[in-house]
Amino acid sequence: RMIDELFEIELVDGSAVIVGAPGTVVSLFALSKCEGVTTHGLRWELDQALLSFGPRGVHNEIMKPPAHVSVQSGDLLLFRGSWIEPHP
């Protein structure tokens, strides 16, 4: 886990709980091909999605805390922002 003034970053090892207020910025970043990515409690949810290195999964937000993310295989980084930026 890495923490700085902007983000708390951790590798998702099977599943993770994402604690934060509604509107907290969350990004998922695939370091390798990630299969079976499922999220709950985020504005844009995923259901058994395939994520590859790229922008999909970036700049989401917590809608119903606590949010959850799980991954069946692959190296998935979870970025939880230290700010709130709700979308309209």
Side-chain angles (χ1 to χ4, degrees), residues 2 7-12 18 26-35 37 39 42 46 50-60 69 71 73-80:
M2 296 185 301
F7 290 100
E8 181 174 333
I9 306 165
E10 66 181 282
L11 183 66
V12 178
I18 311 167
V26 172
S27 289
L28 301 173
F29 190 81
L31 295 175
S32 62
K33 183 169 118 179
C34 294
E35 296 179 318
V37 179
T39 62
L42 299 179
L46 299 171
L50 171 66
L51 292 182
S52 298
F53 185 79
R56 187 170 180 213
V58 175
H59 205 82
N60 207 332
V69 61
V71 60
S73 68
D75 295 320
L76 184 66
L77 287 180
L78 165 64
F79 287 71
R80 184 180 58 82

